């Protein structure tokens, strides 16, 4: 009977894994139906911003540029030199490191060994690695005699909307193993304490120690490794008190000594994270204190936003009642099995942070809600039902329990079925990749790209050019200055800003602020050209089509008032599916919005609005028409692939973003148009000097 049960559980685990693979590879149909946008030169494009970073590091490794401890010259220009630092503790430059970048190293070597592109490797390998968490979770819980808890935990873990969104097709990122690593390490600890055979104890402690190192190299978060080690030692003291033998010391040394090179900073990192994430007490660095008067860029990042309680549950499972039951069941599991599950407890706590801190922690909650559901079912059928004496035959009871718990697994698959409607897609579409490739071919190798931070990693990968900021360095005053350059109407001031940042960078900003100059005064001095110098490195302003939707925040930061500590959102609305029905009547969004160029009226679901000015732009002509003294600006711009309608706030019209990107209206004294591939990308070379 045990053999049959074992085979049956293996079959169910295979079903769970197959379900996880199916909901990921199901995206292939969607990708193939959009090949012209999702593939470039027959290779799929990455589906997440950080993926471009890890892919770029892998490419650097393949090309021999990745040297641990050396400065990464693709990032944070012009602060990518050894002189770029505030003091010996606060450095602005970024170095190549192995810790936290094992994923890039693995990808680079696998790509070389099997002669397969990094993109194709990601296409096949990410879904396979993302579902691995179900295996150690099932084995762990089965060892605790809760096999169905392990199965439901794995099922919900790999199908949770938040986990799907962080491990979907073409998403090359840490998250594909960020659940599997700690759960497997916790399992090795459990096995160490469970068995008494000396050889097996040595085997499990060595395996645990090895995977701790791999986990650090993979994720680079010593605080997480520290809590795993702490829980191991806590269990040791729980079992042994102070009655340790020499062999006990050997076990602990085998586990901890290989981790000394990094784990010593774990407690400090843990302390800082607990203060920040749990108690919202922040300990700013010297650089953050110095730059504190500049706007906080992180307020615009969605994954750092808090979710409501029901939204957290919804990001794990589509049934709110089952989500609540799973949460309750998880608490019961730890309450009644703390000695054997204590190694998992810190990661359950991390999952609970999703109720108080950022949404990203919900993926850590997913396996525990699944385990909790399975554990409650176990309690009901194995602890409560026997008291009702409904089943006097043990074998019959087992069969019924297997049947009912299997039905629950099927029910959860049906509940999680809506994830099939979640489609991943590239963060950079192929026309943009083509233009990024154009930059690599048509600009000097030492060029620097001046654009918004979201595509920073992508430019580093596809253009192989350095950027001023990116997704890991957007929190500095450089982001404010870039936002200001796009928001102001004066090209001279924009050139002054570009010159200042290109020549001084964060190091220069810090030096000025340390002399007692306020952030507001510094901006005024830059505006007046006090720090204007010849731009020795070729700098290219690059506008990309994603910035239409992001311009509201760009305008907010660029218009930031240092006295009121606020900016002003500037909207650019680009309605979809616009059709010119008659010469003077435009209909958009399937009839939900209309623009009457006879009366100067915009009509939508919110009512009617007036038009101030209407502009019509083609490569050959530029037409202007005035309607009312106040109202929106309407711009109809024809590019290479049809036209685009823009509804713009009056304050936005004069911004360089609108003038240089949408209208391609620029001052040749300061800029030279290099590429006009509107709306995908428009590139200007900044003049080296203006005098």
């Amino acid at each position: 009977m045990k053999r049959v049960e074992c085979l049956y559980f293996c079959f169910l685990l295979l079903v769970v894994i197959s379900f996880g693979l199916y909901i990921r590879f199901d995206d292939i149909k969607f990708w193939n139906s959009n090949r012209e946008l999702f593939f470039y030169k027959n290779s799929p494009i990455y589906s997440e911003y950080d993926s471009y970073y890890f892919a770029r590091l892998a490419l650097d490794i393949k090309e021999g540029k990745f040297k641990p401890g050396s400065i990464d010259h693709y990032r944070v220009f012009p602060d990518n030199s050894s002189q770029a630092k505030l003091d010996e503790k606060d450095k602005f430059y970024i170095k190549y490191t192995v810790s936290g970048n094992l994923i890039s190293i693995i990808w680079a070597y696998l790509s070389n060994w099997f002669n397969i592109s990094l993109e194709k490797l990601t296409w096949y390998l990410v879904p396979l690695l993302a579902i691995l968490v179900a295996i150690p979770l099932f084995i762990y819980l089965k060892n605790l005699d809760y096999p169905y808890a392990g199965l439901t935990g794995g099922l919900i873990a790999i199908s949770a909307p938040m986990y799907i969104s962080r491990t979907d097709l073409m998403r090359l990122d840490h998250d594909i193993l960020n659940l599997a690593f700690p759960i497997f390490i916790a399992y090795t600890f459990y096995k160490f304490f469970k068995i008494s055979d000396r050889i097996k104890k040595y085997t499990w402690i060595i395996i645990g120690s090895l995977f701790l190192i791999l986990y650090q190299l993979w994720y680079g978060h010593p605080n997480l490794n520290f809590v795993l080690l702490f829980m191991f030692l806590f269990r040791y003291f729980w079992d042994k008190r102070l009655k340790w033998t020499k062999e006990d010391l050997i076990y602990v040394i085998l586990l901890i000594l290989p981790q000394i090179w990094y784990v010593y900073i774990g407690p400090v990192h843990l302390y800082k994270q607990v203060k920040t994430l749990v108690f919202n007490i922040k300990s700013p660095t010297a650089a953050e204190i110095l730059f504190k008067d500049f706007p906080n860029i992180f307020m615009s990042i969605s994954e750092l936003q808090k979710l409501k309680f029901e939204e957290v549950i919804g990001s794990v499972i589509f049934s709110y009642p089952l989500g609540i039951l799973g949460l309750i069941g998880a608490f019961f599991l730890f309450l009644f099995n703390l000695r054997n599950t204590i190694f998992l407890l810190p990661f359950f706590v991390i999952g609970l942070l999703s109720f108080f801190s950022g949404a990203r922690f919900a993926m850590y909650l997913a396996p525990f809600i699944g385990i909790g559901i399975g554990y409650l079912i176990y309690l009901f059928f194995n602890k409560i039902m026997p008291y009702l004496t409904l089943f006097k035959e043990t074998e019959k009871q087992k069969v019924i329990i297997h049947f009912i718990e299997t039905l629950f697994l099927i029910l959860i698959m049906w509940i999680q079925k809506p994830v099939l409607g979640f489609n991943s897609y590239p963060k950079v579409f192929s026309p943009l990749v083509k233009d990024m490739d154009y930059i690599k071919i048509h600009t000097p190798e030492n060029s620097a790209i001046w654009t918004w931070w979201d595509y920073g990693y992508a430019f580093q990968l596809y253009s192989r050019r350095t950027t001023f900021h990116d997704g890991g360095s957007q929190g500095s005053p450089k982001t404010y200055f870039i936002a200001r350059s796009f928001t102001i109407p004066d090209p001279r001031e924009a050139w002054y800003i570009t010159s200042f940042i290109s020549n001084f960078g964060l190091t220069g900003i810090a030096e000025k602020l340390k002399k007692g100059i306020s952030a507001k005064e510094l901006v005024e001095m830059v505006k007046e050209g006090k720090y204007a110098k010849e731009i020795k490195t070729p700098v290219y302003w690059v506008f990309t089509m994603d910035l239409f939707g992001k311009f509201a925040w760009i305008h907010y930061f660029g218009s930031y008032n240092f006295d009121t500590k606020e900016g002003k959102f500037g909207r650019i609305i680009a309605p979809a599916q616009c059709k010119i029905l008659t010469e003077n009547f435009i209909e958009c969004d399937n009839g939900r919005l209309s623009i009457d160029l006879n009366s100067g009226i915009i009509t939508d679901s919110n009512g009617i609005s007036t038009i101030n000015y209407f502009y019509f732009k083609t490569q050959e002509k530029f037409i202007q028409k005035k309607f009312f003294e106040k109202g929106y600006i309407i711009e109809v711009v024809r590019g290479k692939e049809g036209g685009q309608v823009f509804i713009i706030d009056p304050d936005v019209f004069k911004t360089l973003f609108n003038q240089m990107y949408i209208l391609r209206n620029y001052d040749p004294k300061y800029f030279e148009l290099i590429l006009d591939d509107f709306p995908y990308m428009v590139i200007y070379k900044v003049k080296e000097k203006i005098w």
Side-chain angles (χ1 to χ4, degrees):
M1 182 67 181
K2 286 187 177 180
R3 180 188 171 103
V4 173
E5 276 190 341
C6 184
L7 290 174
Y8 185 64
F9 286 135
C10 288
F11 167 73
L12 291 180
L13 178 61
L14 183 62
V15 170
V16 168
I17 290 172
S18 299
F19 180 73
L21 290 174
Y22 174 70
I23 58 181
R24 283 164 172 80
F25 281 122
D26 181 66
D27 269 8
I28 290 177
K29 295 179 293 185
F30 178 64
W31 280 65
N32 283 331
S33 65
N34 292 278
R35 288 189 71 89
E36 71 282 358
L37 291 176
F38 293 6
F39 288 72
Y40 179 66
K41 293 183 177 179
N42 208 36
S43 290
I45 305 169
Y46 299 99
S47 64
E48 190 253 347
Y49 292 121
D50 286 351
S51 299
Y52 302 105
Y53 169 72
F54 293 114
R56 195 265 299 178
L57 289 184
L59 187 57
D60 289 354
I61 293 167
K62 294 181 69 174
E63 294 179 355
K65 296 178 180 179
F66 185 103
K67 297 176 182 178
S70 64
I71 293 175
D72 184 348
H73 291 290
Y74 282 111
R75 301 187 62 190
V76 297
F77 180 82
D79 301 293
N80 47 3
S81 72
S82 57
Q83 288 75 42
K85 55 187 177 181
L86 178 61
D87 48 45
E88 290 306 314
K89 186 178 180 181
D90 289 274
K91 299 176 175 62
F92 300 130
Y93 58 82
I94 298 169
K95 291 184 176 182
Y96 285 118
T97 61
V98 174
S99 185
N101 294 316
L102 181 61
I103 185 172
S104 297
I105 296 170
I106 292 172
W107 249 243
Y109 280 96
L110 288 177
S111 176
N112 282 335
W113 290 341
F114 295 102
N115 194 27
I116 184 174
S117 70
L118 295 169
E119 292 85 359
K120 288 294 179 68
L121 195 63
T122 304
W123 179 265
Y124 294 111
L125 202 51
V126 163
L128 292 172
L129 294 179
I131 55 86
L132 288 183
V133 60
I135 297 174
L137 199 60
F138 166 71
I139 295 172
Y140 196 153
L141 272 295
K142 187 178 184 301
N143 273 253
L144 294 175
D145 289 329
Y146 312 133
Y148 284 102
L151 290 168
T152 53
L155 177 59
I156 292 181
I158 62 181
S159 64
M162 182 60 73
Y163 188 62
I164 283 281
S165 70
R166 301 187 72 85
T167 61
D168 54 21
L169 200 64
M170 288 305 295
R171 183 167 177 137
L172 180 62
D173 202 347
H174 292 129
D175 288 331
I176 54 177
L177 288 180
N178 272 356
L179 290 179
F181 261 119
I183 290 171
F184 180 74
I185 292 167
Y187 174 67
T188 65
F189 291 172
Y190 162 77
K191 290 295 289 185
F192 170 82
F193 285 103
K194 188 71 174 177
I195 60 179
S196 56
D197 182 84
R198 290 177 65 251
I199 301 299
K200 290 182 179 179
K201 273 186 172 292
Y202 276 113
T203 301
W204 283 113
I205 204 69
I206 290 171
I207 293 173
S209 185
L210 173 62
F211 272 83
L212 275 168
I213 295 172
L214 292 175
Y215 185 31
Q216 171 63 21
L217 295 176
W218 179 267
Y219 198 31
H221 280 54
N223 51 310
L224 297 181
N225 289 46
F226 171 75
V227 295
L228 280 165
L229 289 171
F230 180 81
M231 289 304 173
F232 178 89
L233 293 175
F234 186 87
R235 171 67 190 271
Y236 228 117
F237 279 105
W238 190 349
D239 288 354
K240 294 268 187 174
R241 302 298 189 270
L242 295 176
K243 299 174 183 178
W244 286 28
T245 65
K246 288 183 180 180
E247 197 154 42
D248 291 325
L249 290 174
I250 293 173
Y251 292 143
V252 172
I253 289 171
L254 283 173
L255 180 66
I256 295 179
L257 189 60
Q259 323 303 326
I260 290 298
W261 60 278
Y262 71 86
V263 81
Y264 70 95
I265 59 174
V268 175
H269 284 199
L270 180 64
Y271 168 71
K272 289 180 179 179
Q273 287 209 319
V274 169
K275 279 206 314 179
T276 303
L277 299 176
V278 179
F279 299 104
N280 200 28
I281 301 172
K282 298 180 180 179
S283 301
T285 64
E288 289 171 336
I289 293 171
L290 192 63
F291 299 147
K292 62 180 174 58
D293 290 332
F294 288 95
N296 177 17
I297 304 302
F298 292 108
M299 69 174 71
S300 66
I301 301 177
S302 60
E303 74 170 15
L304 300 179
Q305 307 301 321
K306 294 182 181 179
L307 296 179
K308 297 178 182 178
F309 186 90
E310 59 272 18
E311 290 175 331
V312 173
I313 298 297
S315 68
V316 172
I317 187 170
F318 289 97
S319 170
Y320 185 72
L322 271 183
I324 296 297
L325 288 175
L327 203 57
I328 294 169
F331 280 106
F332 278 127
L333 174 78
F334 285 108
L335 180 64
F336 297 140
N337 301 271
L338 186 59
R339 183 185 293 268
N340 290 323
T341 60
I342 194 169
F343 318 113
L344 291 173
L345 184 59
F347 296 90
F348 178 52
V349 173
I350 291 173
L352 294 177
L353 286 177
S354 54
F355 293 108
F356 311 100
S357 191
R360 62 189 305 171
F361 298 110
M363 63 173 273
Y364 285 94
L365 188 64
F368 296 104
I369 283 183
I371 290 171
I373 293 170
Y375 186 67
L376 284 182
I377 297 171
Y378 165 84
L379 288 179
F380 180 77
F381 284 103
N382 291 276
K383 299 299 180 182
I384 298 175
M385 289 289 286
Y387 286 108
L388 302 178
T389 64
L390 294 179
F391 302 109
K392 295 182 180 180
E393 298 177 34
T394 306
E395 292 303 319
K396 183 183 291 187
Q397 182 182 359
K398 282 185 178 181
V399 170
I400 291 175
I401 290 174
H402 283 309
F403 176 72
I404 292 175
E405 299 221 43
T406 301
L407 285 180
F408 258 94
L409 274 178
I410 296 171
L411 173 65
I412 292 171
M413 287 182 193
W414 182 80
I415 289 171
Q416 298 294 79
K417 188 175 65 172
V419 296
L420 287 169
F422 293 11
N423 290 312
S424 65
Y425 56 88
K427 282 293 185 284
V428 181
F429 293 124
S430 60
L432 282 169
V433 177
K434 174 179 66 70
D435 290 340
M436 290 178 180
D437 195 31
Y438 175 94
I439 292 173
K440 181 174 66 176
I441 298 168
H442 293 90
T443 65
E445 194 171 343
N446 67 330
S447 301
I449 295 175
W450 181 280
T451 190
W452 198 237
W453 61 267
D454 294 84
Y455 282 174
Y457 291 147
F459 278 108
Q460 293 160 18
L461 171 65
Y462 294 120
S463 299
R464 304 301 277 161
R465 298 291 181 264
T466 186
T467 61
F468 287 83
H469 60 172
D470 51 42
S473 60
Q474 74 274 50
S476 80
K478 282 196 292 190
T479 298
Y480 159 76
F481 278 106
I482 290 173
R484 181 171 176 83
S485 72
F486 287 172
T487 301
I488 57 176
D490 183 6
R492 174 178 287 270
E493 182 187 348
W495 191 93
Y496 286 155
I497 291 173
T498 309
S499 170
F500 173 66
I501 296 299
S502 300
N503 286 298
F504 293 92
L506 284 182
T507 312
I509 295 172
E511 287 175 354
K512 307 296 183 289
L513 296 178
K514 285 167 70 176
K515 291 178 181 178
I517 300 174
S518 69
K520 180 181 178 181
E521 291 170 336
L522 178 61
V523 172
E524 287 298 316
M525 294 171 78
V526 172
K527 178 180 178 180
E528 294 167 5
K530 294 289 180 65
Y531 303 111
K533 294 170 60 177
E534 179 182 349
I535 302 174
K536 296 180 180 179
T537 299
V539 175
Y540 292 84
W541 274 34
V542 180
F543 298 100
T544 51
M545 64 184 303
D546 64 301
L547 299 184
F548 295 134
K550 296 167 184 172
F551 188 73
W553 275 111
I554 293 172
H555 193 279
Y556 178 90
F557 295 127
S559 63
Y560 188 77
N561 186 305
F562 288 91
D563 295 321
T564 63
K565 306 295 182 184
E566 290 182 343
K568 182 178 180 181
F569 290 104
R571 292 185 303 166
I572 295 179
I573 302 171
Q577 299 173 330
C578 291
K579 299 177 182 179
I580 300 177
L581 300 182
T582 64
E583 184 177 352
N584 291 308
F585 192 83
I586 302 172
E587 185 178 86
C588 303
D589 294 338
N590 294 319
R592 291 189 292 272
L593 184 149
S594 62
I595 301 169
D596 189 336
L597 297 177
N598 288 312
S599 61
I601 296 296
I602 304 170
T603 305
D604 62 8
S605 57
N606 295 319
I608 63 172
S609 304
T610 56
I611 299 173
N612 179 207
Y613 276 96
F614 167 74
Y615 296 93
F616 181 74
K617 161 77 175 177
T618 68
Q619 291 182 336
E620 296 81 24
K621 59 184 177 180
F622 184 78
I623 299 173
Q624 172 183 314
K625 182 179 180 181
K626 184 176 181 180
F627 288 96
F628 295 93
E629 289 301 321
K630 293 182 179 181
Y632 288 102
I633 307 292
I634 302 296
E635 296 176 351
V636 177
V637 183
R638 288 195 181 276
K640 295 178 181 178
E641 299 183 9
Q644 177 70 58
V645 175
F646 298 96
I647 303 173
I648 297 175
D649 288 338
D651 291 344
V652 173
F653 175 74
K654 293 182 180 180
T655 65
L656 292 181
F657 181 89
N658 178 56
Q659 292 295 317
M660 294 178 65
Y661 181 25
I662 298 178
L663 299 178
R664 264 71 39 77
N665 178 26
Y666 67 98
D667 191 331
K669 181 179 179 181
Y670 307 101
F671 301 95
E672 177 187 356
L673 182 61
I674 299 298
L675 176 68
D676 183 358
D677 190 25
F678 184 85
Y680 302 115
M681 187 180 291
V682 175
I683 305 173
Y684 293 91
K685 186 180 187 300
V686 182
K687 294 293 181 71
E688 290 85 356
K689 53 185 178 181
I690 59 173
W691 50 81

